[in-house]
Amino acid sequence: MSEGKGMLAAEAYLRAMKRYGVDALYSVAGTDFPSIVEAYGRVGEASPDLPRPVICPHENLAVAMAHGHALITGTPQAAMVHVSVGTANMVCGAMNAARDNVPMLLSAGRTPVTDSDGPATPHGTRTRFIHWAQEMFDQASTLREAVKWDYEIRRGEQVEDGLSRALEVASAPPPGPVYLSLPREMLAEEVNPDRPTRAPTASARLAPDLEAIDRLASALRAAENPMIVTASLARSPAAAALAETLAELWAIPVIEFNPRCVNLPHDHPMHLGFDTGRAMGGVDLVLNIACDVPWVPAVTRPAFEGALWEIGIDPVHARYPMRSFHAQGAITAEPALALAALLEALGPLGAAGPRVDARRRRVAEAHGRMRATLDAEAAGERMTAASASKALAALLPHDATIVNEYSFRVNQARFSRPGQFFGASPAGGLGWGFGAALGIRNAGVPGPVVCMMGDGAYMFNNPSACHWASEAHGLPILSVIFNNRRWGAVRNSTLAMYGQGASAAGDGMFMADLSPSIDHVMLAKAHGAHAEGCGDLAALPGVLERALDALGQGKQALIALDLPE
């Protein structure tokens, strides 16, 4: 098992990652990492030729940080974990990325396959008792359903080609996570640093079928009460700008249903809120753009009976086992390209002008009523989720980036631009927000980064690991905990199904009660954070100002909101 002086396959792998746009390696190291460690030691861990190593004390954190980082850059970022057990802890994060169409490179070492000593034994053979128990027949099968592609690189000379293939698949539409397993012996092989390599193939942009665009344009011109529904079209700012133009010109109201970004300025007169279930009456055409579930048929009243058209890079969401929304047409295209073509096909208003103007007045009036209703929900001096959300959104600086894991009420904000807000993946894997916010911070966004979490989501985020990473890597963010001492989703679902049942006698709190509450302030302070509790709405401006001051000084901060329910 001689150790030579050539370039390690691990070093070639890391150099290629950086060359192909991977800025950071979010890592949870184990006995499969020695060659990775040695490569950083040889080149220098601060070298601009390698991805920045970001040590994470939990796999959930590593994947969430890579997810948040990729949301900002649009390019795959990397998480590498320890063999089979680390891969198992990545599954939830992989599901979040898959349903959120976020390109990511997930990877893990593989337990060595050789176990004897001698001149022909590869460097990296088994040297620990755990190398037997951690081997699996098919390690990638643990998360295969949650990734687009998986592969094991078996030879050091293949390491760059394997990486190129992984990155091009991750970025191809629809983007998503991929998985590479990296055997310990392979990473320890020595390779020729001058051998030819290939960069990942870039996929062409998805342009729309112009005949389908013409049919959609005809349907929109004829519609009396069309509506646009979206969740994440503003992942492309160009698409958001075109959607705003379409909504303004043709007076088409926009609903953001379970949004994951800011798709239309909230104060725009064509913005009709966040609940399709309350807005479907009289709608004769829905244009669904970049949204997996445009409405929930079982609870939408009156039931929608108009025409549905869908636009997106995967408009039928082919990876969903069942999705029963029947559409007149599904246009596979990047939303920006489809919307540009649609605006051209629609042309001027012409004879439709008076009808569109009348609709414009109706929608603007409905927008005013919607905002008044939301303002009433947040009115008063009592600290509630609605009033706290409204106050926080108004007090935070315009350049703040908010990451929300459920408890922040997006409908109480007055967001105005893409990039101000990122919501959780529709997969709903808890434990995403804190790590995603740290990844967004690491991607270099300007302004403060604020993560809003419920008390349950905070615990799922492995908060001690997250606070440690914030301190260790110089990534100060503000965490805001909406503490109501319960699983709100569990209680609400129980009461919705059995509001008159036996569970209602206990207010639906069985299996939803998270009391006694942990001391969030003490936990954050143990990791060097500025932390305060707040149960008084009038005190919130001062508490937030002190937290933002701490961020300005490079210190992480936490605010624990004490909510009555």
Side-chain angles (χ1 to χ4, degrees), residues 55 57 61 65 434 438 441 463-479 527 529 551 554-557:
I55 299 168
L61 170 62
M65 289 186 74
F434 203 153
L438 290 170
R441 174 80 284 159
S464 190
C466 293
H467 284 301
W468 180 91
S470 177
E471 180 73 11
H473 300 301
L475 300 172
I477 71 164
L478 168 60
S479 302
H527 291 278
L551 291 189
K555 188 175 185 178
Q556 62 175 309

Side-chain angles (χ1 to χ4, degrees), residues 195-519:
R195 69 199 182 290
T197 60
R198 74 168 185 89
T201 301
S203 296
R205 299 180 68 190
L206 285 176
D209 177 346
L210 295 183
E211 188 274 332
I213 289 288
D214 285 340
R215 288 192 290 117
L216 171 57
S218 296
L220 272 176
R221 280 194 294 266
E224 289 293 329
N225 292 298
M227 174 185 289
I228 294 171
V229 178
T230 187
S232 56
L233 75 85
R235 287 283 174 80
S236 162
L242 288 163
E244 183 173 355
T245 299
L246 175 63
E248 285 182 352
L249 185 61
W250 286 85
I252 304 175
V254 176
I255 297 282
E256 296 184 277
F257 194 47
N258 295 304
R260 301 192 287 280
C261 48
V262 182
N263 299 287
L264 186 72
H266 292 183
D267 280 333
H268 195 287
M270 293 299 107
H271 195 296
L272 273 196
F274 305 86
D275 186 357
T276 48
R278 297 181 180 181
M280 302 294 283
V283 172
D284 56 355
L285 186 151
V286 167
L287 175 54
N288 181 42
I289 309 173
C291 179
D292 53 345
V293 179
W295 66 86
V296 180
V299 299
T300 299
R301 296 291 180 271
F304 176 64
E305 296 180 351
L308 170 66
W309 284 77
E310 303 201 88
I311 291 175
I313 52 177
D314 177 20
V316 300
H317 299 271
R319 293 281 291 171
Y320 283 40
M322 178 56 65
R323 185 176 183 271
S324 302
F325 297 98
H326 175 68
Q328 298 293 315
I331 300 175
T332 302
E334 290 186 22
L337 296 181
L339 287 167
L342 179 59
L343 281 165
E344 183 175 352
L346 283 167
L349 294 177
R355 179 163 51 90
V356 170
D357 287 340
R359 184 166 67 221
R360 191 186 317 279
R361 290 189 293 272
R362 293 197 305 271
V363 175
E365 291 170 0
H367 170 85
R369 292 192 297 271
M370 178 268 298
R371 293 290 0 162
T373 299
L374 291 173
D375 288 343
E377 290 177 3
E381 299 178 357
R382 185 167 173 258
M383 174 82 82
T384 65
S387 63
S389 297
K390 183 176 181 179
L392 287 164
L395 291 167
L396 284 168
H398 185 69
D399 63 349
T401 300
I402 292 177
V403 178
N404 182 36
E405 193 158 17
Y406 297 115
S407 290
F408 175 77
R409 302 290 178 86
V410 182
N411 57 11
Q412 292 296 338
R414 293 292 201 275
F415 293 137
S416 60
R417 60 173 178 82
Q420 276 184 287
F421 165 80
F422 293 97
S425 164
L430 279 178
W432 166 85
F434 203 153
L438 290 170
I440 286 171
R441 174 80 284 159
N442 197 37
V445 298
V449 176
V450 184
C451 182
M452 310 286 194
M453 293 169 281
D455 51 320
Y458 179 70
M459 288 190 280
F460 256 81
N461 272 273
N462 298 293
S464 190
C466 293
H467 284 301
W468 180 91
S470 177
E471 180 73 11
H473 300 301
L475 300 172
I477 71 164
L478 168 60
S479 302
V480 180
I481 313 302
F482 287 66
N483 183 17
N484 61 1
R485 296 159 294 281
R486 66 186 58 185
W487 290 122
V490 175
R491 173 180 174 269
N492 295 340
S493 294
T494 298
L495 293 179
M497 289 184 67
Y498 298 104
Q500 304 301 318
S503 54
D507 196 27
M509 287 295 288
F510 181 63
M511 293 189 174
D513 192 348
L514 290 182
S515 58
S517 179
I518 66 173
D519 190 333

